[in-house]
Structure formats: C-alpha cells, structure tokens
Amino acid sequence: MTPAHPAAAPGPGAAPAAGGTAPGPGGTSPEASGPETARPQAPGSAAANGTPAAPRAAGRPRGPRPARPWLGALPLLVFAGLCFGLPAGALLYGAVTRTDPVAGTTEFTGEHLSRSLQGPYLTSLTGSVQLSALTAALATVLGVLIAQAVVTSRRGALRGAVLTASGVLANFGGIPLAFAFVATLGISGVVTEIGHLDALGWNLYSFTGLTVIYLYFLVPLMVLVVVPALDGLRPQWREAALNTGATAWQFWRHVGLPVLAPSLLGGFVLLFGSAFAAHATAAALVGGSVPLVTLKIADALSGNVLVGQENVALALSLDMIVIAGLVMAVYLPLQRRSSRWLR
C-alpha cells in the first residue's frame, strides 16, 4: 500500500485545503466567527514570515474623471448671453450715457431716465401698466373657468379641441388680428352694423376696444397655462374634503385655491408680460390715440414726434424691464412654495 504524500496530510498549523474552511471553536468557520477571529496562515506565507502584504485598492479602480456638469449648459449660456445679455447691456449703456454730436464725447447722465418718468412718457407707462393689469386679471379669471370646465369634462374630444384652438389663438396677433377686429367690430364692421353697437357707444379704437382685442389671445394662453395645474389637483383631496362634510366652496377656499395660487399668479405674470410688450396690434389699431409705452418707444426711435430722443426710448425700455422684474420677484417665492404640492 502506497503511503500518502506528506503534503496531503494537514499538520499542525497547516493551512486548510483549497475550497474548504477549517472549523473554528464551536464548529464555526473563521469567516463566520467575526472580524476578531484571526485566520490561520500557511507556513512560508508573507504574513507568517512577517513580511507586510501588498496593499489592495479600496473600491473600484479610478477611471477618468467625469466632465463638469455646466459644460452641458454651455451652449444655452452662450445663446442667452448673445441674444439677451448683449442687447440688455447696450440698452443700459444707452439709457445712462449721452454723446455730444459736435465733440463726439460720451458722458454718463441720468437725464434720460428722469425724462422717461415725466410728462407724456410717464402717462404712456401708466397706461400700459393699467391695460396690461386689467386684461391679465380678466383673462386669468376667464381662462381658469374655461380650463376647469375642460378638465372636469369626460369628453376627450372636447379637451383636445379646446387645447388645440387655444394653441392657435394664443399665437394669433399683430396686424392680422387688428384687421380681423376692424372687419368685425370696427365702425363699419359686420357685427357692429348687425347689432347697432355704434348706438350703444361702442368704439373699437379706444382703451375698451384694446381690452377686448387683448383678451382674444390672452384667454387661450391662460387656458394652456392652467390646465396642467388643474390636472395636478389630486382627486383624493376632494374626496377627503367631501367625506369630512366640506362643501365645494370650502374645498376651493381652503385647499384648491391655496395650492393653485402660485400657478395662477404665474399665469397672471405671463399674461401681464405679453400684454405689456404687445406693439403691432395696438400700433395698427389705435396709433397714438391711446397712450402706450411701446408706441412711445417706437415714436422716439423713429423720430416721429421729436428728433434725438433715441436714448429716452432706451430709458423707457429699461423702465419696462424693471417693472417686469418687480412682478417676477413676487411670483418666484410662491412658486417654490407650491411646487411640493403639485409633484
């Protein structure tokens, strides 16, 4: 009988065979006995001879560092800087400087900003704010009512038709819109003659006429803005309110309107900005009979009334930017507050 190879028989202090584990005290393996239990080392190994083992890399090997996140937004930043930053900088520079036509020297001055807040310029700025605020408020109310009727309707065809029409009408403006209203509600318009509106004191070429025309494209825009917000109101909230005995008015008063308030205010800001910056429709319809800041800026740039008022027009444009910024400053905090409810 051939004796076994000496290496096959484990001796005292010998390492366990490959693929197996040596039972520890109580029948547990060294791996299961916790980190405090030392593994037996094979004779001749680096640990047994006192030689430190080579360190092993912790975790995954390091690869190439990822690109900086802002590089993805670099094209957008460049586009915004070229299309918005440069014009805004040129506008600000022209509003606070004055160039001597004889000597050709340029100096800083606040004369243009001061003149933009006096006389007919202030009247036009006030008229634009009043018209924009009135039309935005009316369009917000009407748009919310129409959007609520669309959201609660069970007919998908009605929703699709209203949203499609709103998308078309919200982008219909300028001279074609003015011509359509002149042919319909003008002095010799079809509806004016059929309904004898001139006998009732109706005048399309007035502040009231501009209000009606602006509502034509502001109401559809508000419908597009507020429909997603109304879809965000969870049915569970209404059901919980009804189960606790609340009426429909109490639900809207304490739950619906507080949640929708930032979205409604955001829609109002959008409508205000659209009406505040509208120019072509008012220019084609009323000319200078209704004082509006956009019409004053066009007259100052073209020298229609006075020559050399280009810097005042830039100052008026800067006033418009400041007013729009103040309105946005009111909207942003409320938008952050309600975002957690409509997720």
Side-chain angles (χ1 to χ4, degrees), residues 170-189:
N171 295 280
F172 183 69
I175 297 179
L177 178 61
F179 174 77
F181 269 88
V182 168
T184 306
L185 295 174
I187 297 177
S188 301

Side-chain angles (χ1 to χ4, degrees), residues 91 116 120-122 124-125 128 276-279 283 287-288 290-306 308-321 323:
L91 186 149
S116 66
Y121 299 115
L122 179 60
S124 64
L125 193 62
S128 291
F276 196 54
H279 168 70
V290 177
L292 296 177
V293 65
T294 53
L295 303 181
K296 285 294 182 182
I297 292 175
D299 292 339
L301 290 176
S302 61
N304 189 18
V305 179
L306 297 175
Q309 301 299 312
E310 294 83 1
N311 293 71
V312 179
L314 297 178
L316 286 172
S317 303
L318 185 61
D319 295 338
M320 295 181 63
I321 295 177
I323 293 175

Side-chain angles (χ1 to χ4, degrees), residues 182-340:
V182 168
T184 306
L185 295 174
I187 297 177
S188 301
V190 177
V191 178
T192 303
E193 292 184 350
I194 293 177
H196 301 286
L197 299 180
D198 51 350
L200 301 177
W202 166 254
N203 184 14
L204 180 64
Y205 313 102
S206 62
F207 186 90
T208 304
L210 276 181
T211 301
V212 175
I213 294 178
Y214 278 26
L215 290 177
Y216 184 84
F217 61 87
L218 291 181
V219 172
L221 182 59
M222 187 62 190
V223 172
L224 296 177
V225 170
V226 80
V227 162
L230 291 174
D231 288 334
L233 287 177
R234 301 177 183 177
Q236 295 84 350
W237 298 345
R238 183 187 293 270
E239 295 174 358
L242 295 178
N243 292 335
T244 56
T247 61
W249 164 249
Q250 291 175 335
F251 166 76
W252 285 107
R253 170 66 179 83
H254 298 284
V255 179
L257 289 179
V259 173
L260 292 177
S263 299
L264 299 181
L265 184 57
F268 174 83
V269 171
L270 178 62
L271 301 184
F272 181 90
S274 300
F276 196 54
H279 168 70
T281 303
L285 192 68
V286 300
S289 59
V290 177
L292 296 177
V293 65
T294 53
L295 303 181
K296 285 294 182 182
I297 292 175
D299 292 339
L301 290 176
S302 61
N304 189 18
V305 179
L306 297 175
V307 180
Q309 301 299 312
E310 294 83 1
N311 293 71
V312 179
L314 297 178
L316 286 172
S317 303
L318 185 61
D319 295 338
M320 295 181 63
I321 295 177
V322 171
I323 293 175
L326 293 177
V327 176
M328 287 296 298
V330 178
Y331 161 69
L332 291 178
L334 292 178
Q335 177 65 26
R336 289 194 298 266
R337 179 181 178 183
S338 70
S339 60
R340 62 177 181 269

